Amino acid sequence: MRSAVAILFLIETCLYAIASLTHAGFILEGHEHRRAMIAEAVISAVLILGLISLGLDRSWSRTAAILAQSFALLGTLVGAFTIAVGVGPQTTLDYITHAVIILLLVTGLVWLARNRNAFPLG
């Protein structure tokens, strides 16, 4: 069960990296959006740092992971809000991506909150 949160972090990180590359125009043409690309790259980096913190087995590791997930969720909610008000990209892919990642992030936060004694990962 401990590795489940690590797998979740990896999935989230990969999704954000793919989204960033998509908004950079490397994966799909027509989905370029510079601000979204930057935000997603930053969130991806924060999530990988959260994953690394879990592997370090420090007293603050779980807190760092929760903060990383919370930061990612806040950023994703901001992105969803910009879509809702018509500022950000308005594609079906963006709607689906935001819904899926919000579900994953909430799942990760709930798992971290409920499993206080499940660390370290190793």
Side-chain angles (χ1 to χ4, degrees), residues 22-88:
T22 299
H23 283 126
F26 290 120
I27 295 178
L28 292 173
E29 290 186 19
H31 293 273
E32 292 83 358
H33 192 273
R34 190 176 193 296
R35 288 183 180 169
M37 174 197 67
I38 293 168
E40 291 155 350
V42 169
I43 292 170
S44 183
V46 168
L47 286 170
I48 202 72
L49 290 173
L51 175 60
I52 291 168
S53 75
L54 288 175
L56 293 177
D57 186 24
R58 302 283 191 246
S59 61
W60 47 264
S61 294
R62 186 172 153 275
T63 301
I66 290 171
L67 289 172
Q69 291 271 315
S70 299
F71 176 81
L73 181 59
L74 177 63
T76 306
L77 291 173
V78 168
F81 177 77
T82 63
I83 289 172
V85 298
V87 175

